[in-house]
């Protein structure tokens, strides 16, 4: 029997409300992998924000981070989908004054920022201090970015999007909307950018080919808009029952249980996909 490939988002999908993996899920995933199947996290979190869950699961599995920009643990190798450094530096130099703050992750142990004190801790994930973070201008950057989070002044958003259109062959952007920043007492747009060649769907396709898995043996689980590409790419693209409506509109598969009640593994067991 051909093996299965399953990719799962973390927050509000595999993790419970208090950011844990249940014992039932851990036990099942050990059995899933023991049977020769491939399981992987596929998250928007950075490497450091994901690794603690990888360690907790205690399985030798691949790990997709940064919305598909990085795939770790490929038999000791890593695959990065980066924005070319010179392209990013040119782009950032043009839009720098439109940003209240910025946080850019690389795959080389470095991150670059503007006004780091305003960047939320849940994006940084540098609790152990292993990540070297530099406040710097575009010209000082040495490593290509995996993913960059930009907080854009409200009156600058249309200009920024117009500039992004010029770079669409190399840079993809996701507009997370307008948010009120209490510290700054102003509204800011949250924009995420990464390589136009990276997505969760592309990561699923890469792993499917890497492990020689049949198309009809692929599955993915998610709850948010950044999961759409992998939901569409998998044969069983599964929306969590707690997922946003737009994601559910892209699939006929929805879990019976939410992220607090082992929704991912209950779907796999119900449909005997292991």
């Amino acid at each position: 029997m051909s093996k299965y490939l399953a990719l799962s988002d973390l927050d509000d999908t595999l993790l419970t409300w208090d950011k844990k993996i249940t014992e039932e899920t851990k036990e099942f995933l050990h059995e899933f992998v023991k049977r020769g199947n491939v399981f992987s996290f596929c998250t928007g979190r950075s490497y450091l924000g994901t690794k603690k869950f990888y360690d907790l699961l205690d399985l030798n599995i691949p790990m997709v981070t940064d919305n598909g920009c990085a795939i770790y643990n490929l038999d000791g190798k890593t695959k990065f989908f980066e924005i070319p450094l010179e392209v990013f530096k040119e782009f950032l130099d043009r839009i720098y004054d439109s940003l209240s703050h910025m946080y850019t992750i690389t795959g080389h142990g470095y991150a670059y920022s503007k006004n780091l004190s305003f960047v939320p801790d849940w994006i940084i994930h540098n609790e152990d201090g292993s990540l070297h973070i530099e406040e710097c201008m575009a010209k000082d950057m040495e490593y290509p970015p995996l993913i960059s989070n930009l907080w854009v002044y409200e009156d600058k958003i249309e200009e920024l999007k117009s500039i992004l259109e010029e770079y669409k062959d190399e840079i993809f952007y996701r507009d997370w909307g307008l948010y009120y920043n209490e510290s700054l007492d102003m509204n800011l747009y949250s924009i995420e950018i990464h390589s136009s060649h990276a997505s969760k769907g592309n990561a699923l396709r890469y792993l499917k080919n890497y492990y020689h898995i049949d198309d009809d043996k692929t599955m993915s689980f998610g709850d948010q808009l950044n999961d759409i590409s992998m939901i569409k790419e998998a044969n069983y693209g599964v929306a969590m029952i707690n997922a946003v409506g737009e994601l559910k509109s892209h699939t006929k598969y929805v879990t019976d249980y939410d992220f607090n009640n082992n929704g991912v593994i209950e779907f796999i067991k119900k449909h005997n996909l292991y």
Side-chain angles (χ1 to χ4, degrees), residues 190-209:
S190 175
I191 302 293
E192 173 188 296
I193 67 171
H194 55 68
S195 167
S196 59
H197 306 291
S199 69
K200 290 188 176 187
N202 181 63
L204 188 150
R205 187 163 53 250
Y206 186 93
L207 290 175
K208 177 186 68 177
N209 293 333

Side-chain angles (χ1 to χ4, degrees), residues 17-50:
W17 68 272
D18 53 353
K19 307 305 179 186
K20 294 180 179 178
I21 301 174
T22 68
E23 288 301 318
E24 293 90 346
T25 290
K26 282 190 280 188
E27 289 175 10
F28 178 81
L29 292 179
H30 273 259
E31 178 63 24
F32 183 85
V33 172
K34 184 179 178 181
R35 293 189 181 195
N37 303 302
V38 180
F39 177 80
S40 176
F41 300 145
C42 192
T43 176
R45 286 172 174 252
S46 66
Y47 173 81
L48 289 178
T50 307

Side-chain angles (χ1 to χ4, degrees), residues 61-92:
I61 57 174
M63 182 174 75
V64 180
T65 69
D66 301 284
N67 280 328
C69 296
I71 309 175
Y72 297 92
N73 307 323
L74 292 166
D75 301 315
K77 302 185 291 295
T78 301
K79 176 67 177 178
F80 291 146
F81 299 92
E82 301 165 314
I83 301 174
L85 180 58
E86 292 308 313
V87 171
F88 183 73
K89 289 168 72 171
E90 178 185 281
F91 164 73
L92 185 59

Side-chain angles (χ1 to χ4, degrees), residues 11 34 38 55 59 71 81 96 126 137 151 153 189 212 229 244 257 260 266 273:
D11 297 281
K34 184 179 178 181
V38 180
D55 293 341
L59 280 172
I71 309 175
F81 299 92
Y96 197 79
N126 194 30
M137 304 288 285
W151 288 269
Y153 294 119
Y189 277 92
H212 307 290
S229 63
V244 296
Y257 301 95
N260 283 316
E266 292 300 333
L273 301 176

Side-chain angles (χ1 to χ4, degrees), residues 48-228:
L48 289 178
T50 307
K51 189 176 183 299
K52 58 185 175 183
F53 301 109
Y54 177 86
D55 293 341
L56 182 66
L57 200 56
D58 192 28
L59 280 172
N60 183 22
I61 57 174
M63 182 174 75
V64 180
T65 69
D66 301 284
N67 280 328
C69 296
I71 309 175
Y72 297 92
N73 307 323
L74 292 166
D75 301 315
K77 302 185 291 295
T78 301
K79 176 67 177 178
F80 291 146
F81 299 92
E82 301 165 314
I83 301 174
L85 180 58
E86 292 308 313
V87 171
F88 183 73
K89 289 168 72 171
E90 178 185 281
F91 164 73
L92 185 59
D93 192 54
R94 293 178 64 183
I95 59 98
Y96 197 79
D97 291 338
S98 299
L99 307 180
S100 164
H101 46 293
M102 173 200 77
Y103 188 69
T104 301
I105 284 284
T106 77
H108 305 275
Y110 279 76
Y112 302 115
S113 66
K114 176 183 181 181
N115 294 327
L116 181 64
S117 61
F118 295 128
V119 178
D121 289 340
W122 59 267
I123 285 182
I124 298 174
H125 290 299
N126 194 30
E127 291 84 357
D128 64 358
S130 61
L131 186 65
H132 183 77
I133 305 174
E134 292 184 358
E135 289 260 344
C136 66
M137 304 288 285
K139 63 182 178 63
D140 301 315
M141 295 181 175
E142 297 181 48
Y143 300 103
L146 290 173
I147 196 165
S148 184
N149 292 278
L150 315 173
W151 288 269
V152 185
Y153 294 119
E154 189 174 3
D155 63 347
K156 297 292 186 179
I157 189 63
E158 294 307 322
E159 178 184 353
L160 181 134
K161 286 184 176 181
S162 177
I163 293 172
L164 276 166
E165 275 298 304
E166 299 177 33
Y167 293 89
K168 63 183 179 182
D169 289 342
E170 296 288 353
I171 299 176
F172 168 87
Y173 80 90
R174 180 177 288 106
D175 182 354
W176 287 107
L178 190 65
Y179 295 88
Y180 175 70
N181 185 296
E182 187 173 352
S183 300
L184 295 169
D185 189 26
M186 66 173 63
N187 290 319
L188 297 169
Y189 277 92
S190 175
I191 302 293
E192 173 188 296
I193 67 171
H194 55 68
S195 167
S196 59
H197 306 291
S199 69
K200 290 188 176 187
N202 181 63
L204 188 150
R205 187 163 53 250
Y206 186 93
L207 290 175
K208 177 186 68 177
N209 293 333
Y210 185 88
Y211 291 105
H212 307 290
I213 292 171
D214 295 338
D215 290 344
D216 64 347
K217 301 291 186 179
T218 59
M219 65 188 103
S220 62
F221 299 84
D223 70 293
Q224 267 294 346
L225 301 182
N226 58 333
D227 299 315
I228 289 175

